[in-house]
Amino acid sequence: MYPVPTDAETQGKTDETVAKFLEGRKREDVVLATKVSGRSDRIDWLRKDGSFAEVNRKQILESVDSSLQRLGTDYIDLLQIHWPDRYTGGLFGQPDFSPANLKESNSFEEQLSALNEVVQSGKVRYIG
């Protein structure tokens, strides 16, 4: 997803660097892990439609396909959700969890179904 600090100009550069690393190597000799960005109301440059990052079916599928293209490979060994879609508190310097701050989020079922979809398609081997 990003070099730090994350911004639109550097988004995807890590995948491109890893793709260069993979050149000349046997793909089966490399364990390749990447991630889907978690929910953020600050990050609107990851998705083609300019929507804010969240962990839903559409964005999981787009993220995997975009990473595969940048990486120049046909599968990812381990796909992870970078941080939760749901409110947890204590994330990135936020105060601890408070029920008063709960808001709608994408269901675990939707997220797991989409993750299962990319595994069943052969694009991802394992999720975490």
PDB file of all heavy atoms in Angstrom, residues 17-34 71 73-78 125-126:
ATOM      1  N   THR A  17       8.100  -2.029  -6.203  1.00  0.00           N
ATOM      2  CA  THR A  17       9.443  -2.393  -5.760  1.00  0.00           C
ATOM      3  C   THR A  17       9.547  -3.901  -5.555  1.00  0.00           C
ATOM      4  O   THR A  17      10.534  -4.523  -5.961  1.00  0.00           O
ATOM      5  CB  THR A  17       9.794  -1.643  -4.459  1.00  0.00           C
ATOM      6  OG1 THR A  17       9.733  -0.231  -4.711  1.00  0.00           O
ATOM      7  CG2 THR A  17      11.175  -2.011  -3.953  1.00  0.00           C
ATOM      8  N   VAL A  18       8.523  -4.500  -4.956  1.00  0.00           N
ATOM      9  CA  VAL A  18       8.508  -5.952  -4.764  1.00  0.00           C
ATOM     10  C   VAL A  18       8.477  -6.663  -6.115  1.00  0.00           C
ATOM     11  O   VAL A  18       9.125  -7.701  -6.291  1.00  0.00           O
ATOM     12  CB  VAL A  18       7.334  -6.379  -3.856  1.00  0.00           C
ATOM     13  CG1 VAL A  18       7.184  -7.895  -3.815  1.00  0.00           C
ATOM     14  CG2 VAL A  18       7.527  -5.829  -2.440  1.00  0.00           C
ATOM     15  N   ALA A  19       7.755  -6.118  -7.084  1.00  0.00           N
ATOM     16  CA  ALA A  19       7.712  -6.713  -8.425  1.00  0.00           C
ATOM     17  C   ALA A  19       9.121  -6.780  -9.022  1.00  0.00           C
ATOM     18  O   ALA A  19       9.483  -7.797  -9.639  1.00  0.00           O
ATOM     19  CB  ALA A  19       6.783  -5.915  -9.335  1.00  0.00           C
ATOM     20  N   LYS A  20       9.911  -5.751  -8.823  1.00  0.00           N
ATOM     21  CA  LYS A  20      11.296  -5.763  -9.319  1.00  0.00           C
ATOM     22  C   LYS A  20      12.107  -6.829  -8.596  1.00  0.00           C
ATOM     23  O   LYS A  20      12.932  -7.519  -9.202  1.00  0.00           O
ATOM     24  CB  LYS A  20      11.929  -4.383  -9.163  1.00  0.00           C
ATOM     25  CG  LYS A  20      11.362  -3.370 -10.136  1.00  0.00           C
ATOM     26  CD  LYS A  20      11.974  -2.011  -9.952  1.00  0.00           C
ATOM     27  CE  LYS A  20      11.282  -1.022 -10.890  1.00  0.00           C
ATOM     28  NZ  LYS A  20      11.666   0.338 -10.628  1.00  0.00           N
ATOM     29  N   PHE A  21      11.880  -6.972  -7.290  1.00  0.00           N
ATOM     30  CA  PHE A  21      12.553  -8.006  -6.509  1.00  0.00           C
ATOM     31  C   PHE A  21      12.213  -9.401  -7.035  1.00  0.00           C
ATOM     32  O   PHE A  21      13.073 -10.282  -7.094  1.00  0.00           O
ATOM     33  CB  PHE A  21      12.152  -7.887  -5.029  1.00  0.00           C
ATOM     34  CG  PHE A  21      12.587  -9.044  -4.186  1.00  0.00           C
ATOM     35  CD1 PHE A  21      13.875  -9.107  -3.684  1.00  0.00           C
ATOM     36  CD2 PHE A  21      11.707 -10.077  -3.893  1.00  0.00           C
ATOM     37  CE1 PHE A  21      14.278 -10.194  -2.905  1.00  0.00           C
ATOM     38  CE2 PHE A  21      12.098 -11.157  -3.116  1.00  0.00           C
ATOM     39  CZ  PHE A  21      13.399 -11.213  -2.621  1.00  0.00           C
ATOM     40  N   LEU A  22      10.965  -9.594  -7.439  1.00  0.00           N
ATOM     41  CA  LEU A  22      10.521 -10.909  -7.921  1.00  0.00           C
ATOM     42  C   LEU A  22      11.122 -11.292  -9.270  1.00  0.00           C
ATOM     43  O   LEU A  22      11.206 -12.479  -9.591  1.00  0.00           O
ATOM     44  CB  LEU A  22       8.992 -10.944  -8.019  1.00  0.00           C
ATOM     45  CG  LEU A  22       8.219 -10.934  -6.705  1.00  0.00           C
ATOM     46  CD1 LEU A  22       6.722 -10.774  -6.977  1.00  0.00           C
ATOM     47  CD2 LEU A  22       8.496 -12.179  -5.889  1.00  0.00           C
ATOM     48  N   GLU A  23      11.539 -10.306 -10.054  1.00  0.00           N
ATOM     49  CA  GLU A  23      12.097 -10.586 -11.381  1.00  0.00           C
ATOM     50  C   GLU A  23      13.304 -11.517 -11.250  1.00  0.00           C
ATOM     51  O   GLU A  23      14.192 -11.289 -10.435  1.00  0.00           O
ATOM     52  CB  GLU A  23      12.519  -9.291 -12.077  1.00  0.00           C
ATOM     53  CG  GLU A  23      11.354  -8.414 -12.483  1.00  0.00           C
ATOM     54  CD  GLU A  23      11.788  -7.074 -13.059  1.00  0.00           C
ATOM     55  OE1 GLU A  23      13.000  -6.826 -13.221  1.00  0.00           O
ATOM     56  OE2 GLU A  23      10.884  -6.253 -13.323  1.00  0.00           O
ATOM     57  N   GLY A  24      13.303 -12.581 -12.043  1.00  0.00           N
ATOM     58  CA  GLY A  24      14.417 -13.512 -12.030  1.00  0.00           C
ATOM     59  C   GLY A  24      14.387 -14.527 -10.902  1.00  0.00           C
ATOM     60  O   GLY A  24      15.300 -15.336 -10.765  1.00  0.00           O
ATOM     61  N   ARG A  25      13.354 -14.470 -10.076  1.00  0.00           N
ATOM     62  CA  ARG A  25      13.212 -15.441  -8.990  1.00  0.00           C
ATOM     63  C   ARG A  25      12.053 -16.372  -9.306  1.00  0.00           C
ATOM     64  O   ARG A  25      11.114 -16.002  -9.990  1.00  0.00           O
ATOM     65  CB  ARG A  25      12.945 -14.727  -7.672  1.00  0.00           C
ATOM     66  CG  ARG A  25      14.138 -13.971  -7.151  1.00  0.00           C
ATOM     67  CD  ARG A  25      13.821 -13.309  -5.804  1.00  0.00           C
ATOM     68  NE  ARG A  25      15.004 -12.821  -5.144  1.00  0.00           N
ATOM     69  CZ  ARG A  25      15.672 -11.732  -5.494  1.00  0.00           C
ATOM     70  NH1 ARG A  25      15.276 -11.011  -6.517  1.00  0.00           N
ATOM     71  NH2 ARG A  25      16.747 -11.360  -4.829  1.00  0.00           N
ATOM     72  N   LYS A  26      12.114 -17.575  -8.764  1.00  0.00           N
ATOM     73  CA  LYS A  26      10.987 -18.497  -8.884  1.00  0.00           C
ATOM     74  C   LYS A  26       9.902 -18.020  -7.931  1.00  0.00           C
ATOM     75  O   LYS A  26      10.155 -17.840  -6.735  1.00  0.00           O
ATOM     76  CB  LYS A  26      11.398 -19.918  -8.521  1.00  0.00           C
ATOM     77  CG  LYS A  26      12.345 -20.553  -9.487  1.00  0.00           C
ATOM     78  CD  LYS A  26      12.628 -21.975  -9.025  1.00  0.00           C
ATOM     79  CE  LYS A  26      13.690 -22.617  -9.878  1.00  0.00           C
ATOM     80  NZ  LYS A  26      14.019 -23.957  -9.352  1.00  0.00           N
ATOM     81  N   ARG A  27       8.703 -17.810  -8.440  1.00  0.00           N
ATOM     82  CA  ARG A  27       7.605 -17.297  -7.614  1.00  0.00           C
ATOM     83  C   ARG A  27       7.341 -18.204  -6.425  1.00  0.00           C
ATOM     84  O   ARG A  27       7.068 -17.736  -5.319  1.00  0.00           O
ATOM     85  CB  ARG A  27       6.340 -17.140  -8.478  1.00  0.00           C
ATOM     86  CG  ARG A  27       5.101 -16.709  -7.716  1.00  0.00           C
ATOM     87  CD  ARG A  27       5.289 -15.334  -7.079  1.00  0.00           C
ATOM     88  NE  ARG A  27       4.126 -14.987  -6.286  1.00  0.00           N
ATOM     89  CZ  ARG A  27       3.959 -15.334  -5.008  1.00  0.00           C
ATOM     90  NH1 ARG A  27       4.880 -16.024  -4.362  1.00  0.00           N
ATOM     91  NH2 ARG A  27       2.861 -14.971  -4.358  1.00  0.00           N
ATOM     92  N   GLU A  28       7.460 -19.527  -6.625  1.00  0.00           N
ATOM     93  CA  GLU A  28       7.169 -20.466  -5.525  1.00  0.00           C
ATOM     94  C   GLU A  28       8.220 -20.410  -4.417  1.00  0.00           C
ATOM     95  O   GLU A  28       7.995 -20.942  -3.327  1.00  0.00           O
ATOM     96  CB  GLU A  28       7.030 -21.892  -6.066  1.00  0.00           C
ATOM     97  CG  GLU A  28       8.286 -22.457  -6.714  1.00  0.00           C
ATOM     98  CD  GLU A  28       8.379 -22.210  -8.210  1.00  0.00           C
ATOM     99  OE1 GLU A  28       7.625 -21.371  -8.757  1.00  0.00           O
ATOM    100  OE2 GLU A  28       9.224 -22.853  -8.847  1.00  0.00           O
ATOM    101  N   ASP A  29       9.337 -19.725  -4.646  1.00  0.00           N
ATOM    102  CA  ASP A  29      10.365 -19.579  -3.609  1.00  0.00           C
ATOM    103  C   ASP A  29      10.149 -18.350  -2.731  1.00  0.00           C
ATOM    104  O   ASP A  29      10.922 -18.109  -1.805  1.00  0.00           O
ATOM    105  CB  ASP A  29      11.758 -19.486  -4.251  1.00  0.00           C
ATOM    106  CG  ASP A  29      12.206 -20.795  -4.867  1.00  0.00           C
ATOM    107  OD1 ASP A  29      11.620 -21.852  -4.540  1.00  0.00           O
ATOM    108  OD2 ASP A  29      13.144 -20.761  -5.686  1.00  0.00           O
ATOM    109  N   VAL A  30       9.135 -17.573  -3.038  1.00  0.00           N
ATOM    110  CA  VAL A  30       8.869 -16.330  -2.307  1.00  0.00           C
ATOM    111  C   VAL A  30       7.495 -16.411  -1.653  1.00  0.00           C
ATOM    112  O   VAL A  30       6.519 -16.790  -2.293  1.00  0.00           O
ATOM    113  CB  VAL A  30       8.914 -15.112  -3.267  1.00  0.00           C
ATOM    114  CG1 VAL A  30       8.557 -13.831  -2.530  1.00  0.00           C
ATOM    115  CG2 VAL A  30      10.266 -15.009  -3.940  1.00  0.00           C
ATOM    116  N   VAL A  31       7.420 -16.069  -0.367  1.00  0.00           N
ATOM    117  CA  VAL A  31       6.131 -15.921   0.310  1.00  0.00           C
ATOM    118  C   VAL A  31       5.768 -14.445   0.238  1.00  0.00           C
ATOM    119  O   VAL A  31       6.464 -13.594   0.792  1.00  0.00           O
ATOM    120  CB  VAL A  31       6.197 -16.398   1.779  1.00  0.00           C
ATOM    121  CG1 VAL A  31       4.875 -16.140   2.483  1.00  0.00           C
ATOM    122  CG2 VAL A  31       6.575 -17.870   1.842  1.00  0.00           C
ATOM    123  N   LEU A  32       4.689 -14.163  -0.459  1.00  0.00           N
ATOM    124  CA  LEU A  32       4.295 -12.789  -0.737  1.00  0.00           C
ATOM    125  C   LEU A  32       3.049 -12.432   0.070  1.00  0.00           C
ATOM    126  O   LEU A  32       2.006 -13.067  -0.072  1.00  0.00           O
ATOM    127  CB  LEU A  32       4.016 -12.645  -2.237  1.00  0.00           C
ATOM    128  CG  LEU A  32       3.649 -11.268  -2.760  1.00  0.00           C
ATOM    129  CD1 LEU A  32       4.752 -10.265  -2.452  1.00  0.00           C
ATOM    130  CD2 LEU A  32       3.406 -11.349  -4.251  1.00  0.00           C
ATOM    131  N   ALA A  33       3.183 -11.440   0.925  1.00  0.00           N
ATOM    132  CA  ALA A  33       2.060 -10.979   1.747  1.00  0.00           C
ATOM    133  C   ALA A  33       1.769  -9.526   1.405  1.00  0.00           C
ATOM    134  O   ALA A  33       2.669  -8.743   1.115  1.00  0.00           O
ATOM    135  CB  ALA A  33       2.389 -11.110   3.227  1.00  0.00           C
ATOM    136  N   THR A  34       0.492  -9.179   1.438  1.00  0.00           N
ATOM    137  CA  THR A  34       0.084  -7.792   1.243  1.00  0.00           C
ATOM    138  C   THR A  34      -1.191  -7.563   2.041  1.00  0.00           C
ATOM    139  O   THR A  34      -1.635  -8.456   2.768  1.00  0.00           O
ATOM    140  CB  THR A  34      -0.077  -7.446  -0.259  1.00  0.00           C
ATOM    141  OG1 THR A  34      -0.230  -6.025  -0.398  1.00  0.00           O
ATOM    142  CG2 THR A  34      -1.236  -8.180  -0.892  1.00  0.00           C
ATOM    143  N   LEU A  71       2.183  -6.070  -8.786  1.00  0.00           N
ATOM    144  CA  LEU A  71       3.190  -7.053  -8.398  1.00  0.00           C
ATOM    145  C   LEU A  71       3.644  -7.924  -9.564  1.00  0.00           C
ATOM    146  O   LEU A  71       4.691  -8.569  -9.488  1.00  0.00           O
ATOM    147  CB  LEU A  71       2.646  -7.951  -7.270  1.00  0.00           C
ATOM    148  CG  LEU A  71       2.456  -7.267  -5.922  1.00  0.00           C
ATOM    149  CD1 LEU A  71       1.547  -8.097  -5.023  1.00  0.00           C
ATOM    150  CD2 LEU A  71       3.811  -7.022  -5.251  1.00  0.00           C
ATOM    151  N   THR A  73       2.209 -10.674 -10.657  1.00  0.00           N
ATOM    152  CA  THR A  73       2.053 -12.085 -10.309  1.00  0.00           C
ATOM    153  C   THR A  73       0.583 -12.459 -10.377  1.00  0.00           C
ATOM    154  O   THR A  73      -0.277 -11.582 -10.489  1.00  0.00           O
ATOM    155  CB  THR A  73       2.646 -12.388  -8.916  1.00  0.00           C
ATOM    156  OG1 THR A  73       2.677 -13.792  -8.689  1.00  0.00           O
ATOM    157  CG2 THR A  73       1.865 -11.697  -7.810  1.00  0.00           C
ATOM    158  N   ASP A  74       0.301 -13.740 -10.319  1.00  0.00           N
ATOM    159  CA  ASP A  74      -1.098 -14.164 -10.413  1.00  0.00           C
ATOM    160  C   ASP A  74      -1.684 -14.629  -9.087  1.00  0.00           C
ATOM    161  O   ASP A  74      -2.843 -15.006  -9.034  1.00  0.00           O
ATOM    162  CB  ASP A  74      -1.278 -15.231 -11.498  1.00  0.00           C
ATOM    163  CG  ASP A  74      -0.436 -16.472 -11.250  1.00  0.00           C
ATOM    164  OD1 ASP A  74       0.419 -16.460 -10.337  1.00  0.00           O
ATOM    165  OD2 ASP A  74      -0.631 -17.463 -11.972  1.00  0.00           O
ATOM    166  N   TYR A  75      -0.880 -14.612  -8.016  1.00  0.00           N
ATOM    167  CA  TYR A  75      -1.440 -14.948  -6.708  1.00  0.00           C
ATOM    168  C   TYR A  75      -0.652 -14.289  -5.587  1.00  0.00           C
ATOM    169  O   TYR A  75       0.518 -13.955  -5.743  1.00  0.00           O
ATOM    170  CB  TYR A  75      -1.530 -16.464  -6.491  1.00  0.00           C
ATOM    171  CG  TYR A  75      -0.191 -17.158  -6.304  1.00  0.00           C
ATOM    172  CD1 TYR A  75       0.332 -17.382  -5.033  1.00  0.00           C
ATOM    173  CD2 TYR A  75       0.541 -17.599  -7.398  1.00  0.00           C
ATOM    174  CE1 TYR A  75       1.548 -18.024  -4.865  1.00  0.00           C
ATOM    175  CE2 TYR A  75       1.753 -18.242  -7.246  1.00  0.00           C
ATOM    176  CZ  TYR A  75       2.258 -18.446  -5.968  1.00  0.00           C
ATOM    177  OH  TYR A  75       3.467 -19.067  -5.807  1.00  0.00           O
ATOM    178  N   ILE A  76      -1.334 -14.110  -4.477  1.00  0.00           N
ATOM    179  CA  ILE A  76      -0.770 -13.570  -3.234  1.00  0.00           C
ATOM    180  C   ILE A  76      -0.817 -14.708  -2.229  1.00  0.00           C
ATOM    181  O   ILE A  76      -1.832 -15.404  -2.116  1.00  0.00           O
ATOM    182  CB  ILE A  76      -1.618 -12.375  -2.738  1.00  0.00           C
ATOM    183  CG1 ILE A  76      -1.517 -11.206  -3.731  1.00  0.00           C
ATOM    184  CG2 ILE A  76      -1.216 -11.956  -1.332  1.00  0.00           C
ATOM    185  CD1 ILE A  76      -2.597 -10.144  -3.554  1.00  0.00           C
ATOM    186  N   ASP A  77       0.270 -14.915  -1.497  1.00  0.00           N
ATOM    187  CA  ASP A  77       0.285 -15.993  -0.510  1.00  0.00           C
ATOM    188  C   ASP A  77      -0.560 -15.660   0.722  1.00  0.00           C
ATOM    189  O   ASP A  77      -1.302 -16.504   1.207  1.00  0.00           O
ATOM    190  CB  ASP A  77       1.724 -16.307  -0.079  1.00  0.00           C
ATOM    191  CG  ASP A  77       2.525 -16.891  -1.219  1.00  0.00           C
ATOM    192  OD1 ASP A  77       2.214 -18.016  -1.653  1.00  0.00           O
ATOM    193  OD2 ASP A  77       3.456 -16.206  -1.702  1.00  0.00           O
ATOM    194  N   LEU A  78      -0.436 -14.441   1.229  1.00  0.00           N
ATOM    195  CA  LEU A  78      -1.169 -14.040   2.434  1.00  0.00           C
ATOM    196  C   LEU A  78      -1.741 -12.646   2.239  1.00  0.00           C
ATOM    197  O   LEU A  78      -0.998 -11.695   1.978  1.00  0.00           O
ATOM    198  CB  LEU A  78      -0.240 -14.036   3.653  1.00  0.00           C
ATOM    199  CG  LEU A  78      -0.820 -13.513   4.961  1.00  0.00           C
ATOM    200  CD1 LEU A  78      -1.993 -14.382   5.432  1.00  0.00           C
ATOM    201  CD2 LEU A  78       0.261 -13.433   6.027  1.00  0.00           C
ATOM    202  N   ARG A 125      -3.947 -17.226  -1.443  1.00  0.00           N
ATOM    203  CA  ARG A 125      -3.874 -18.568  -0.845  1.00  0.00           C
ATOM    204  C   ARG A 125      -4.390 -18.589   0.577  1.00  0.00           C
ATOM    205  O   ARG A 125      -5.101 -19.502   0.963  1.00  0.00           O
ATOM    206  CB  ARG A 125      -2.438 -19.081  -0.923  1.00  0.00           C
ATOM    207  CG  ARG A 125      -2.034 -19.342  -2.368  1.00  0.00           C
ATOM    208  CD  ARG A 125      -0.821 -20.176  -2.447  1.00  0.00           C
ATOM    209  NE  ARG A 125      -0.630 -20.598  -3.845  1.00  0.00           N
ATOM    210  CZ  ARG A 125       0.440 -21.195  -4.278  1.00  0.00           C
ATOM    211  NH1 ARG A 125       1.422 -21.466  -3.441  1.00  0.00           N
ATOM    212  NH2 ARG A 125       0.544 -21.534  -5.542  1.00  0.00           N
ATOM    213  N   TYR A 126      -4.001 -17.604   1.372  1.00  0.00           N
ATOM    214  CA  TYR A 126      -4.395 -17.565   2.787  1.00  0.00           C
ATOM    215  C   TYR A 126      -4.791 -16.142   3.158  1.00  0.00           C
ATOM    216  O   TYR A 126      -4.315 -15.179   2.565  1.00  0.00           O
ATOM    217  CB  TYR A 126      -3.248 -18.019   3.696  1.00  0.00           C
ATOM    218  CG  TYR A 126      -2.804 -19.426   3.404  1.00  0.00           C
ATOM    219  CD1 TYR A 126      -1.706 -19.654   2.572  1.00  0.00           C
ATOM    220  CD2 TYR A 126      -3.476 -20.520   3.927  1.00  0.00           C
ATOM    221  CE1 TYR A 126      -1.289 -20.950   2.278  1.00  0.00           C
ATOM    222  CE2 TYR A 126      -3.068 -21.819   3.642  1.00  0.00           C
ATOM    223  CZ  TYR A 126      -1.974 -22.020   2.817  1.00  0.00           C
ATOM    224  OH  TYR A 126      -1.586 -23.292   2.524  1.00  0.00           O
TER     225      TYR A 126
END
